[in-house]
Amino acid sequence: MIKGGPKKDLQGKQIQSILISQPKPETEKSPYFDLAKKFNIKLDFYPFIRVEGLPAKEFRKQKIDILAFTAVIFTSRNAVDHFFRICEEMKVKVSQDCKYFCITEAVALYLQKFILYRKRKVFYGADGSTKGVLEVMNKHRDNEKFLFPSSDSQKKDIEEWLKTNKCEYATATLYKTVSNDVKEILGKTNYDMIVFFSPSGVKSLFENVPSFEQNGTRIGAFGPTTSAAVEEAGLRLDVKAPAPQAPSMAAALDQYLAGLNKK
């Protein structure tokens, strides 16, 4: 699928194959497998990126005292994983009074792996957008000192908001994203749709196939920053999640595929 397949009129075109740019789910109960059966489509999984955590030795060079902060901002599960990994490696015990501001409810609920979840200290945006979580943070900005765990390629919108609103904050780089080699899988199948879950996934596509042309290939994106990256790359975005009636990518694909079948 080096050049996205031949140009075709998308109106009413049925989808027979989808590439999900994430690892294959470990459980057979995944809604993605239900989708494959329901619509009789080929569904492949292949991560476009991998995440490599920064060791504690490297983190210390940033001279950030985690315990000096009263609130932590999370924009992904990776950020949650690596924040608590670094805390464990450095034997840092985060205060029970620490507040957590999460970009989506899914990320907020993921915190239950690491903390005793309390509504009074875990917050998230209503619509899963950066704007949504910033609106929540705005109510607390004068009373909190924010720590923003991120990757080496994190989009700067939240950091810019913190700076503009003169918040006390620090950005902590805890992990980096590295592109996987996906040339072989893209060459094997002429996928009707590719689904992305991070801006780094979109970047990986063009690092692997600089001459990629979308043509008839549909594009799906999960999360506001991923959607923005798709459009900034000059690609047409066909399926966007989360949405009011589709909180997950699986739900958004279900709606989209059902809509095609009605045509």
Side-chain angles (χ1 to χ4, degrees), residues 174-258:
L174 302 184
Y175 58 100
K176 61 182 179 179
T177 54
V178 180
S179 295
N180 285 330
D181 187 343
V182 296
K183 299 182 188 70
E184 185 177 353
I185 192 168
L186 289 175
K188 279 183 178 179
T189 304
N190 191 33
Y191 289 100
D192 297 316
M193 177 183 286
I194 305 175
V195 179
F196 295 100
F197 295 85
S198 71
S200 298
V202 180
K203 180 183 176 184
S204 176
L205 171 67
F206 286 98
E207 285 183 350
N208 276 274
V209 189
S211 61
F212 178 83
E213 296 174 12
Q214 183 175 6
N215 295 329
T217 306
R218 315 289 177 95
I219 300 292
F222 185 83
T225 57
T226 310
S227 297
V230 167
E231 293 173 339
E232 287 168 7
L235 301 175
R236 182 191 63 256
L237 182 58
D238 300 288
V239 182
K240 186 177 180 180
Q245 303 303 317
S248 67
M249 178 50 71
L253 289 173
D254 194 338
Q255 288 185 5
Y256 185 78
L257 293 168

Coordinates of all heavy atoms in Angstrom, one line a residue, residues 174-258:
L174 N 9.8 11.8 30.2 CA 10.0 10.5 30.9 C 10.1 9.4 29.9 O 10.6 8.3 30.3 CB 8.7 10.3 31.8 CG 8.4 11.3 32.9 CD1 7.3 10.8 33.7 CD2 9.7 11.5 33.8
Y175 N 9.8 9.6 28.6 CA 9.9 8.6 27.6 C 10.0 9.2 26.2 O 9.8 10.4 26.0 CB 8.7 7.6 27.7 CG 7.3 8.3 27.5 CD1 6.7 8.3 26.3 CD2 6.7 9.0 28.5 CE1 5.5 8.9 26.1 CE2 5.5 9.6 28.4 CZ 4.9 9.6 27.1 OH 3.6 10.2 27.0
K176 N 10.4 8.3 25.3 CA 10.5 8.8 23.9 C 9.8 7.8 23.0 O 9.7 6.6 23.3 CB 12.0 9.0 23.5 CG 12.8 7.7 23.6 CD 14.3 8.1 23.2 CE 15.2 6.8 23.3 NZ 16.6 7.1 23.0
T177 N 9.4 8.3 21.9 CA 8.7 7.4 20.9 C 9.7 7.2 19.7 O 10.3 8.1 19.3 CB 7.4 8.0 20.4 OG1 7.7 9.3 19.9 CG2 6.4 8.1 21.5
V178 N 9.7 5.9 19.3 CA 10.6 5.5 18.2 C 9.8 4.8 17.1 O 8.9 4.0 17.4 CB 11.7 4.6 18.7 CG1 12.6 4.1 17.6 CG2 12.5 5.2 19.9
S179 N 10.0 5.2 15.9 CA 9.2 4.6 14.8 C 9.7 3.2 14.5 O 10.9 2.8 14.6 CB 9.5 5.4 13.5 OG 8.9 6.7 13.6
N180 N 8.7 2.3 14.4 CA 8.9 0.9 13.9 C 9.0 0.8 12.4 O 8.5 1.7 11.7 CB 7.8 0.0 14.4 CG 7.9 -0.3 15.9 OD1 9.0 -0.3 16.5 ND2 6.8 -0.5 16.6
D181 N 9.6 -0.2 11.9 CA 9.7 -0.5 10.5 C 8.4 -1.1 10.1 O 8.1 -2.3 10.4 CB 10.9 -1.4 10.2 CG 11.2 -1.5 8.7 OD1 10.2 -1.2 7.9 OD2 12.2 -2.0 8.3
V182 N 7.6 -0.4 9.3 CA 6.3 -0.9 8.9 C 6.2 -1.0 7.4 O 5.1 -1.2 6.8 CB 5.1 0.0 9.4 CG1 5.1 0.0 10.9 CG2 5.3 1.4 8.9
K183 N 7.3 -0.9 6.7 CA 7.3 -1.0 5.2 C 6.8 -2.3 4.7 O 6.0 -2.3 3.8 CB 8.7 -0.8 4.7 CG 9.4 0.6 5.0 CD 10.8 0.7 4.4 CE 11.5 1.9 4.8 NZ 11.9 1.8 6.2
E184 N 7.2 -3.4 5.4 CA 6.8 -4.7 4.9 C 5.2 -4.9 5.0 O 4.6 -5.4 4.1 CB 7.5 -5.8 5.7 CG 7.2 -7.2 5.2 CD 7.9 -8.3 6.0 OE1 8.8 -8.0 6.8 OE2 7.6 -9.5 5.7
I185 N 4.7 -4.6 6.2 CA 3.2 -4.8 6.3 C 2.4 -3.8 5.4 O 1.4 -4.2 4.9 CB 2.8 -4.6 7.8 CG1 1.3 -5.1 7.9 CG2 2.9 -3.2 8.3 CD1 0.9 -5.3 9.4
L186 N 2.9 -2.6 5.2 CA 2.2 -1.7 4.3 C 2.3 -2.2 2.8 O 1.4 -1.9 2.0 CB 2.8 -0.3 4.4 CG 2.5 0.5 5.7 CD1 3.3 1.8 5.7 CD2 1.0 0.7 5.8
G187 N 3.4 -2.9 2.5 CA 3.6 -3.5 1.2 C 2.8 -4.7 0.9 O 2.5 -5.1 -0.2
K188 N 2.4 -5.5 2.0 CA 1.7 -6.7 1.8 C 0.3 -6.6 1.4 O -0.3 -7.4 0.6 CB 1.8 -7.6 3.1 CG 3.2 -8.3 3.3 CD 3.1 -9.1 4.6 CE 4.4 -9.9 4.8 NZ 4.4 -10.7 6.0
T189 N -0.4 -5.6 2.1 CA -1.9 -5.5 1.9 C -2.2 -4.1 1.5 O -1.7 -3.1 2.0 CB -2.6 -5.9 3.2 OG1 -2.2 -7.2 3.6 CG2 -4.1 -5.8 3.0
N190 N -3.2 -4.0 0.6 CA -3.7 -2.7 0.2 C -4.9 -2.3 1.1 O -6.0 -2.5 0.8 CB -4.2 -2.8 -1.3 CG -4.4 -1.4 -1.8 OD1 -3.8 -0.4 -1.5 ND2 -5.4 -1.3 -2.7
Y191 N -4.5 -1.8 2.3 CA -5.6 -1.6 3.3 C -6.5 -0.5 2.9 O -6.1 0.5 2.4 CB -4.9 -1.2 4.6 CG -4.2 -2.4 5.3 CD1 -2.8 -2.5 5.2 CD2 -4.9 -3.3 6.0 CE1 -2.2 -3.6 5.8 CE2 -4.3 -4.4 6.6 CZ -2.9 -4.6 6.5 OH -2.3 -5.6 7.1
D192 N -7.8 -0.7 3.2 CA -8.8 0.3 2.9 C -8.8 1.4 3.9 O -9.3 2.5 3.7 CB -10.2 -0.3 2.8 CG -10.3 -1.3 1.7 OD1 -9.9 -1.0 0.6 OD2 -10.9 -2.4 2.0
M193 N -8.3 1.1 5.1 CA -8.2 2.1 6.2 C -7.0 1.9 7.1 O -6.7 0.7 7.4 CB -9.5 2.1 7.0 CG -9.5 3.1 8.2 SD -11.0 3.0 9.3 CE -12.2 3.8 8.2
I194 N -6.4 3.0 7.6 CA -5.4 2.9 8.6 C -5.9 3.8 9.8 O -6.3 4.9 9.6 CB -4.0 3.5 8.1 CG1 -3.6 2.7 6.8 CG2 -3.0 3.3 9.2 CD1 -2.3 3.3 6.2
V195 N -5.7 3.2 11.0 CA -6.2 3.9 12.2 C -5.0 4.3 13.0 O -4.1 3.4 13.4 CB -7.2 3.1 13.0 CG1 -7.6 3.8 14.2 CG2 -8.4 2.7 12.1
F196 N -4.9 5.6 13.4 CA -3.8 6.1 14.2 C -4.2 6.5 15.6 O -5.4 6.9 15.8 CB -3.2 7.3 13.5 CG -2.5 7.0 12.2 CD1 -3.2 7.3 11.0 CD2 -1.2 6.5 12.1 CE1 -2.6 7.0 9.8 CE2 -0.7 6.2 10.9 CZ -1.3 6.5 9.7
F197 N -3.3 6.4 16.6 CA -3.6 6.7 18.0 C -2.7 7.7 18.6 O -2.8 8.1 19.7 CB -3.6 5.4 18.8 CG -4.6 4.4 18.4 CD1 -4.4 3.5 17.3 CD2 -5.9 4.4 19.0 CE1 -5.4 2.6 16.9 CE2 -6.8 3.5 18.6 CZ -6.6 2.6 17.6
S198 N -1.7 8.2 17.8 CA -0.8 9.3 18.3 C -0.2 10.0 17.1 O -0.1 9.5 16.0 CB 0.3 8.7 19.1 OG 1.2 8.0 18.3
P199 N 0.2 11.3 17.3 CA 0.9 12.0 16.3 C 2.2 11.3 15.8 O 2.5 11.3 14.7 CB 1.2 13.3 16.9 CG 0.2 13.5 18.0 CD -0.1 12.1 18.5
S200 N 2.8 10.6 16.8 CA 4.0 9.8 16.4 C 3.7 8.7 15.4 O 4.6 8.4 14.6 CB 4.7 9.3 17.7 OG 5.0 10.3 18.6
G201 N 2.5 8.1 15.5 CA 2.2 7.1 14.5 C 2.1 7.7 13.1 O 2.5 7.0 12.1
V202 N 1.5 8.9 13.0 CA 1.4 9.5 11.7 C 2.8 9.8 11.2 O 3.1 9.6 10.0 CB 0.6 10.8 11.8 CG1 0.5 11.5 10.5 CG2 -0.8 10.5 12.4
K203 N 3.6 10.3 12.1 CA 5.0 10.6 11.7 C 5.7 9.4 11.2 O 6.5 9.4 10.2 CB 5.8 11.2 12.9 CG 7.2 11.6 12.7 CD 7.9 12.1 13.9 CE 9.4 12.4 13.7 NZ 10.0 12.8 15.0
S204 N 5.5 8.2 11.9 CA 6.1 7.0 11.5 C 5.7 6.6 10.1 O 6.6 6.0 9.3 CB 5.7 5.9 12.5 OG 6.3 4.6 12.1
L205 N 4.5 6.8 9.7 CA 4.0 6.5 8.4 C 4.9 7.1 7.3 O 5.3 6.5 6.4 CB 2.5 6.9 8.2 CG 2.0 6.8 6.8 CD1 1.9 5.3 6.3 CD2 0.6 7.5 6.7
F206 N 5.1 8.4 7.5 CA 5.9 9.1 6.5 C 7.4 8.9 6.6 O 8.1 9.1 5.6 CB 5.5 10.6 6.6 CG 4.2 11.0 6.0 CD1 3.1 11.1 6.9 CD2 4.0 11.1 4.7 CE1 1.8 11.4 6.4 CE2 2.7 11.4 4.2 CZ 1.6 11.5 5.0
E207 N 7.9 8.5 7.8 CA 9.3 8.1 7.9 C 9.5 6.8 7.1 O 10.6 6.6 6.5 CB 9.6 8.0 9.4 CG 9.8 9.3 10.1 CD 10.3 9.2 11.5 OE1 10.3 8.1 12.0 OE2 10.6 10.2 12.1
N208 N 8.5 5.9 7.2 CA 8.6 4.7 6.5 C 8.4 4.8 5.0 O 9.0 4.2 4.2 CB 7.7 3.6 7.1 CG 8.2 2.9 8.3 OD1 8.9 2.0 8.2 ND2 7.9 3.5 9.5
V209 N 7.4 5.6 4.7 CA 7.0 5.8 3.3 C 6.8 7.2 2.9 O 5.8 7.8 2.9 CB 5.6 5.0 3.0 CG1 5.4 5.0 1.5 CG2 5.6 3.6 3.5
P210 N 8.0 7.9 2.7 CA 7.9 9.4 2.4 C 7.0 9.8 1.3 O 6.5 10.9 1.2 CB 9.4 9.7 2.1 CG 10.2 8.6 2.8 CD 9.3 7.4 2.7
S211 N 6.8 8.8 0.3 CA 6.0 9.1 -0.9 C 4.6 8.7 -0.7 O 3.8 8.7 -1.7 CB 6.6 8.4 -2.1 OG 6.6 7.0 -1.9
F212 N 4.1 8.4 0.5 CA 2.8 8.0 0.8 C 1.8 9.0 0.2 O 1.8 10.2 0.4 CB 2.5 7.8 2.3 CG 1.1 7.3 2.6 CD1 0.7 6.0 2.4 CD2 0.2 8.3 2.9 CE1 -0.6 5.6 2.7 CE2 -1.2 7.9 3.2 CZ -1.5 6.5 3.1
E213 N 0.8 8.5 -0.5 CA -0.3 9.2 -1.1 C -1.6 8.6 -0.6 O -1.8 7.3 -0.7 CB -0.3 9.3 -2.6 CG 1.0 10.0 -3.1 CD 1.0 9.9 -4.6 OE1 0.0 9.5 -5.3 OE2 2.1 10.3 -5.2
Q214 N -2.5 9.3 0.0 CA -3.7 8.7 0.6 C -4.6 8.1 -0.5 O -5.1 7.0 -0.3 CB -4.4 9.8 1.4 CG -5.7 9.2 2.1 CD -6.3 10.2 3.0 OE1 -6.0 11.4 3.1 NE2 -7.3 9.8 3.8
N215 N -4.9 8.9 -1.5 CA -5.8 8.4 -2.5 C -7.1 7.9 -1.9 O -7.8 8.5 -1.2 CB -5.2 7.4 -3.5 CG -4.0 8.1 -4.3 OD1 -4.1 9.3 -4.6 ND2 -3.0 7.3 -4.6
G216 N -7.4 6.6 -2.1 CA -8.6 6.0 -1.6 C -8.6 5.4 -0.2 O -9.6 4.9 0.3
T217 N -7.4 5.6 0.5 CA -7.3 5.0 1.8 C -8.0 5.9 2.8 O -7.8 7.1 2.9 CB -5.8 4.9 2.2 OG1 -5.1 4.1 1.2 CG2 -5.7 4.2 3.5
R218 N -8.9 5.3 3.6 CA -9.5 6.0 4.7 C -8.6 6.1 5.9 O -7.7 5.3 6.1 CB -10.8 5.3 5.2 CG -11.7 4.8 4.1 CD -12.5 5.8 3.4 NE -13.3 5.2 2.3 CZ -14.6 4.9 2.5 NH1 -15.2 5.1 3.6 NH2 -15.2 4.4 1.4
I219 N -8.7 7.2 6.7 CA -7.9 7.4 7.8 C -8.8 7.6 9.1 O -9.7 8.4 9.0 CB -7.0 8.6 7.6 CG1 -6.0 8.5 6.4 CG2 -6.2 8.9 8.9 CD1 -5.0 7.4 6.6
G220 N -8.4 6.9 10.1 CA -9.1 7.1 11.4 C -8.1 7.6 12.4 O -6.9 7.3 12.3
A221 N -8.5 8.4 13.4 CA -7.6 9.0 14.4 C -8.3 9.0 15.8 O -9.5 9.4 15.9 CB -7.2 10.3 14.0
F222 N -7.6 8.6 16.8 CA -8.1 8.7 18.1 C -7.4 9.8 18.9 O -6.2 9.8 19.0 CB -7.9 7.4 18.9 CG -8.6 7.4 20.3 CD1 -9.9 7.1 20.4 CD2 -7.8 7.7 21.4 CE1 -10.5 7.2 21.6 CE2 -8.4 7.7 22.6 CZ -9.8 7.5 22.8
G223 N -8.2 10.7 19.4 CA -7.6 11.8 20.2 C -7.5 13.0 19.4 O -7.2 13.0 18.2
P224 N -7.6 14.2 20.1 CA -7.5 15.5 19.4 C -6.2 15.8 18.8 O -6.1 16.3 17.7 CB -7.9 16.5 20.4 CG -7.6 15.8 21.7 CD -7.9 14.4 21.5
T225 N -5.1 15.4 19.5 CA -3.7 15.7 18.9 C -3.4 14.8 17.7 O -2.8 15.2 16.8 CB -2.7 15.5 20.0 OG1 -2.7 14.2 20.5 CG2 -2.9 16.5 21.1
T226 N -4.0 13.6 17.7 CA -3.7 12.7 16.6 C -4.5 13.2 15.4 O -4.0 13.2 14.3 CB -4.2 11.2 16.9 OG1 -3.6 10.8 18.2 CG2 -3.8 10.3 15.9
S227 N -5.8 13.6 15.6 CA -6.6 14.1 14.5 C -5.9 15.4 13.9 O -5.9 15.5 12.7 CB -8.0 14.5 15.1 OG -8.7 13.4 15.5
A228 N -5.4 16.2 14.8 CA -4.7 17.4 14.2 C -3.4 17.0 13.4 O -3.2 17.6 12.4 CB -4.3 18.3 15.4
A229 N -2.7 16.0 13.9 CA -1.5 15.5 13.2 C -1.9 15.0 11.8 O -1.1 15.2 10.8 CB -0.8 14.5 14.0
V230 N -3.0 14.3 11.7 CA -3.4 13.7 10.4 C -3.7 14.8 9.4 O -3.3 14.8 8.3 CB -4.7 12.9 10.6 CG1 -5.4 12.5 9.3 CG2 -4.4 11.6 11.3
E231 N -4.4 15.8 9.9 CA -4.8 16.9 9.0 C -3.6 17.8 8.7 O -3.5 18.3 7.5 CB -5.9 17.8 9.7 CG -7.2 17.0 9.8 CD -8.3 17.6 10.6 OE1 -8.0 18.5 11.4 OE2 -9.5 17.3 10.4
E232 N -2.7 18.0 9.6 CA -1.5 18.8 9.4 C -0.6 18.1 8.3 O 0.2 18.8 7.6 CB -0.7 19.0 10.7 CG -1.4 20.1 11.6 CD -0.8 20.1 13.0 OE1 0.2 19.4 13.2 OE2 -1.4 20.8 13.9
A233 N -0.7 16.8 8.3 CA 0.1 16.0 7.3 C -0.5 16.0 5.9 O 0.0 15.5 5.0 CB 0.2 14.6 7.8
G234 N -1.7 16.7 5.8 CA -2.3 16.9 4.5 C -3.2 15.7 4.2 O -3.6 15.5 3.0
L235 N -3.6 14.9 5.2 CA -4.4 13.7 4.9 C -5.9 14.0 5.2 O -6.2 14.9 6.0 CB -4.0 12.5 5.8 CG -2.5 12.0 5.6 CD1 -2.2 11.0 6.6 CD2 -2.3 11.5 4.2
R236 N -6.8 13.3 4.6 CA -8.2 13.5 4.8 C -8.6 12.6 6.0 O -8.3 11.4 6.1 CB -9.0 13.0 3.6 CG -10.5 13.2 3.7 CD -11.2 12.5 2.6 NE -11.0 11.1 2.6 CZ -10.2 10.4 1.8 NH1 -9.5 11.1 0.9 NH2 -10.0 9.1 1.9
L237 N -9.2 13.1 7.0 CA -9.6 12.4 8.2 C -11.1 11.9 8.0 O -12.0 12.7 7.9 CB -9.5 13.3 9.5 CG -9.8 12.6 10.8 CD1 -9.0 11.4 11.0 CD2 -9.7 13.6 11.9
D238 N -11.3 10.6 8.1 CA -12.6 10.0 7.8 C -13.3 9.6 9.1 O -14.5 9.7 9.2 CB -12.4 8.8 6.9 CG -11.8 9.2 5.5 OD1 -12.5 9.9 4.7 OD2 -10.7 8.9 5.3
V239 N -12.6 9.1 10.1 CA -13.2 8.6 11.3 C -12.4 9.3 12.5 O -11.2 9.1 12.6 CB -13.1 7.1 11.4 CG1 -13.8 6.6 12.7 CG2 -13.8 6.4 10.2
K240 N -13.2 9.9 13.3 CA -12.6 10.7 14.5 C -13.2 10.2 15.8 O -14.4 10.1 15.9 CB -12.8 12.2 14.3 CG -12.1 13.1 15.3 CD -12.4 14.5 14.9 CE -11.7 15.5 15.9 NZ -11.9 16.9 15.5
A241 N -12.4 9.9 16.8 CA -12.8 9.5 18.1 C -11.9 10.1 19.1 O -10.8 10.5 18.8 CB -12.9 8.0 18.2
P242 N -12.4 10.4 20.4 CA -13.7 10.1 20.8 C -14.7 11.1 20.4 O -14.4 12.2 20.0 CB -13.6 10.1 22.4 CG -12.4 11.0 22.6 CD -11.5 10.9 21.4
A243 N -16.0 10.7 20.4 CA -17.1 11.6 20.0 C -18.2 11.3 21.0 O -18.2 10.2 21.7 CB -17.5 11.3 18.6
P244 N -19.2 12.2 21.1 CA -20.3 12.0 22.0 C -20.9 10.6 22.0 O -21.2 10.0 23.1 CB -21.3 13.1 21.7 CG -20.4 14.2 21.1 CD -19.3 13.5 20.3
Q245 N -21.2 10.1 20.8 CA -21.8 8.8 20.7 C -20.8 7.6 20.5 O -21.2 6.5 20.2 CB -22.8 8.8 19.6 CG -23.9 9.9 19.7 CD -24.7 9.7 21.0 OE1 -25.0 8.6 21.5 NE2 -24.9 10.8 21.7
A246 N -19.5 8.0 20.5 CA -18.5 7.0 20.2 C -17.2 7.3 21.0 O -16.3 7.9 20.6 CB -18.1 7.0 18.7
P247 N -17.3 6.9 22.3 CA -16.2 7.2 23.2 C -14.9 6.4 22.9 O -13.8 6.9 23.3 CB -16.7 6.8 24.6 CG -17.7 5.7 24.3 CD -18.4 6.1 23.0
S248 N -14.9 5.4 22.1 CA -13.7 4.6 21.8 C -13.6 4.5 20.3 O -14.5 4.8 19.5 CB -13.9 3.2 22.3 OG -14.9 2.5 21.7
M249 N -12.4 4.1 19.8 CA -12.2 4.0 18.4 C -13.0 2.8 17.8 O -13.6 2.9 16.7 CB -10.7 3.8 18.1 CG -10.4 3.6 16.6 SD -11.2 4.8 15.5 CE -10.2 6.3 15.9
A250 N -13.2 1.8 18.6 CA -14.0 0.6 18.2 C -15.4 1.0 17.9 O -16.0 0.6 16.9 CB -13.9 -0.5 19.2
A251 N -15.9 1.9 18.8 CA -17.3 2.3 18.7 C -17.4 3.3 17.5 O -18.4 3.2 16.7 CB -17.7 3.1 20.0
A252 N -16.4 4.1 17.2 CA -16.5 5.0 16.1 C -16.4 4.2 14.8 O -17.1 4.5 13.8 CB -15.3 6.0 16.2
L253 N -15.6 3.2 14.7 CA -15.5 2.3 13.5 C -16.8 1.6 13.3 O -17.3 1.4 12.2 CB -14.4 1.3 13.7 CG -12.9 1.9 13.6 CD1 -11.9 0.8 13.9 CD2 -12.7 2.5 12.2
D254 N -17.4 1.1 14.4 CA -18.7 0.4 14.3 C -19.8 1.3 13.6 O -20.5 0.9 12.7 CB -19.2 0.0 15.7 CG -20.3 -1.0 15.7 OD1 -21.0 -1.1 14.6 OD2 -20.5 -1.7 16.7
Q255 N -19.8 2.6 14.1 CA -20.8 3.5 13.5 C -20.5 3.8 12.0 O -21.4 3.9 11.2 CB -20.8 4.8 14.3 CG -21.4 4.8 15.7 CD -21.4 6.1 16.3 OE1 -21.1 7.1 15.8 NE2 -21.9 6.1 17.6
Y256 N -19.2 4.0 11.7 CA -18.8 4.3 10.4 C -19.1 3.2 9.4 O -19.7 3.4 8.3 CB -17.3 4.7 10.4 CG -16.8 5.1 9.0 CD1 -17.0 6.5 8.6 CD2 -16.1 4.3 8.2 CE1 -16.6 6.9 7.4 CE2 -15.6 4.7 6.9 CZ -15.9 6.0 6.5 OH -15.4 6.5 5.3
L257 N -18.7 2.0 9.8 CA -19.0 0.8 8.9 C -20.5 0.5 8.8 O -20.9 0.2 7.7 CB -18.3 -0.4 9.5 CG -16.7 -0.3 9.6 CD1 -16.2 -1.5 10.4 CD2 -16.2 -0.4 8.2
A258 N -21.2 0.7 9.8 CA -22.7 0.5 9.7 C -23.3 1.5 8.8 O -24.2 1.2 8.0 CB -23.3 0.7 11.1

